[in-house]
């Protein structure tokens, strides 16, 4: 099983996700995009699979601090929204969990966005 969890170490939702993965005995790599950044291709892949509405966190302070023209541009163009996410990683919903989960005799692709304890149980138990 190869899992990477993306986020910001100090985030309370991330701490819940770390605890849950540890409780389920899932080994993972952590990518702190506050320190390491994130590339546009990765964000584009997430948006292609999950949709911009799932990946872009409009409830956080970083989004609220944008001026109206930036918000309107992000709403009008997915490419603009992705560029904003790469520049302002705090606007990416946390955590993003990506990788392969061993399911019986085969590897199963995993891509989760946000912390849902029941979903983590289902995917990793």
């Amino acid at each position: 099983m190869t899992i990477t969890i993306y986020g910001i170490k100090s985030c309370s939702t991330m701490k819940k996700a770390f605890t849950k993965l540890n409780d389920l005995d899932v080994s993972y790599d952590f990518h702190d995009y506050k320190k390491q950044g994130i590339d546009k291709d990765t964000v584009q892949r997430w948006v292609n699979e999950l949709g911009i509405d799932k990946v872009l966190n409009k409830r956080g302070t970083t989004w609220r601090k944008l001026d109206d023209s930036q918000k309107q541009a992000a709403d009008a163009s997915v490419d603009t929204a992705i560029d904003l996410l790469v520049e302002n990683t705090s606007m990416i919903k946390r955590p993003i969990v990506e990788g392969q989960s061993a399911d019986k005799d085969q590897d199963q692709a995993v891509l989760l966005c946000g912390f849902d304890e029941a979903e983590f149980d289902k995917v990793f138990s």
Side-chain angles (χ1 to χ4, degrees):
M1 186 177 331
T2 309
I3 298 293
T4 302
I5 183 168
Y6 296 84
I8 299 168
K9 192 162 189 80
S10 60
C11 171
S12 61
T13 305
M14 291 296 299
K15 291 176 183 175
K16 291 177 194 174
F18 292 139
T19 299
K20 187 66 180 174
L21 290 173
N22 291 335
D23 290 348
L24 293 169
D25 203 26
V26 175
S27 61
Y28 57 86
D29 294 319
F30 171 55
H31 181 101
D32 187 335
Y33 42 59
K34 200 65 149 177
K35 293 180 181 173
Q36 297 169 269
I38 195 76
D39 62 87
K40 186 173 181 172
D41 290 341
T42 300
V43 176
Q44 181 74 59
R45 184 176 67 250
W46 296 340
V47 169
N48 289 348
E49 289 196 39
L50 300 169
I52 191 65
D53 292 333
K54 181 88 171 162
V55 177
L56 174 59
N57 178 12
K58 291 186 175 182
R59 296 173 68 192
T61 56
T62 306
W63 173 262
R64 291 194 303 263
K65 287 181 183 177
L66 295 178
D67 62 47
D68 287 341
S69 65
Q70 288 175 299
K71 291 177 185 176
Q72 290 168 354
D75 286 339
S77 164
V78 171
D79 285 336
T80 301
I82 289 170
D83 288 339
L84 274 172
L85 290 171
V86 171
E87 292 170 27
N88 302 283
T89 55
S90 296
M91 291 191 321
I92 301 172
K93 187 160 185 176
R94 298 180 293 269
I96 301 270
V97 180
E98 182 175 42
Q100 299 292 319
S101 171
D103 183 26
K104 297 190 174 134
D105 296 327
Q106 60 186 347
D107 279 349
Q108 191 86 356
V110 172
L111 182 58
L112 306 175
C113 183
F115 178 70
D116 178 333
E117 188 169 3
E119 190 173 26
F120 272 53
D121 281 332
K122 180 181 168 192
V123 171
F124 297 111
S125 291

